[in-house]
Amino acid sequence: MGYDTSMLCYNHRMARFATTAYFDFVSTRPDRAFIRDEWIQAVIDDPLYEEVEDDGRIRRWGAIDELDGRYSRVVLLEDGETVHNAFLDRRFGAKLK
């Protein structure tokens, strides 16, 4: 008997990290398709800020130099490795104040 991997897959961009089917779907939207895998990986590896949600998911933020320091939020599953969501977060700057 194997284990269920139906919720985990590798995204369409051939990322170096595991992703959920939800991430694969939303990452094709025009407002997210430009987000580079290396930016996501940089936020995972060296976040400026981190929060753990009640359900165990992990939110990490980081500045994207190529986008004039705009902030990206990456949401990981509770395993700390699987990317569930990634987007630019316009409201994050307020958390730093």
Side-chain angles (χ1 to χ4, degrees):
M1 214 175 191
Y3 51 90
D4 181 10
T5 59
S6 63
M7 293 302 294
L8 300 179
C9 52
Y10 289 90
N11 79 29
H12 67 283
R13 300 181 304 187
M14 304 304 288
R16 299 177 304 262
F17 43 80
T19 62
T20 62
Y22 174 80
F23 175 81
D24 291 341
F25 174 74
V26 299
S27 67
T28 63
R29 290 178 10 187
D31 64 328
R32 301 207 186 165
F34 70 93
I35 298 174
R36 297 181 188 163
D37 292 342
E38 56 265 26
W39 298 342
I40 294 170
Q41 190 66 56
V43 173
I44 293 169
D45 293 343
D46 191 24
L48 291 175
Y49 187 79
E50 180 179 291
E51 290 179 352
V52 178
E53 299 177 10
D54 292 339
D55 64 3
R57 291 181 182 166
I58 303 162
R59 297 178 185 174
R60 291 183 178 166
W61 286 265
I64 307 302
D65 294 335
E66 293 90 342
L67 297 177
D68 298 322
R70 292 176 66 190
Y71 297 103
S72 176
R73 182 192 313 181
V74 175
V75 180
L76 304 171
L77 295 184
E78 54 277 355
D79 66 8
E81 297 176 3
T82 305
V83 177
H84 179 66
N85 207 349
F87 55 93
L88 297 181
D89 190 343
R90 290 175 282 184
R91 296 182 289 178
F92 177 69
K95 286 188 180 286
L96 296 176
K97 294 179 182 180

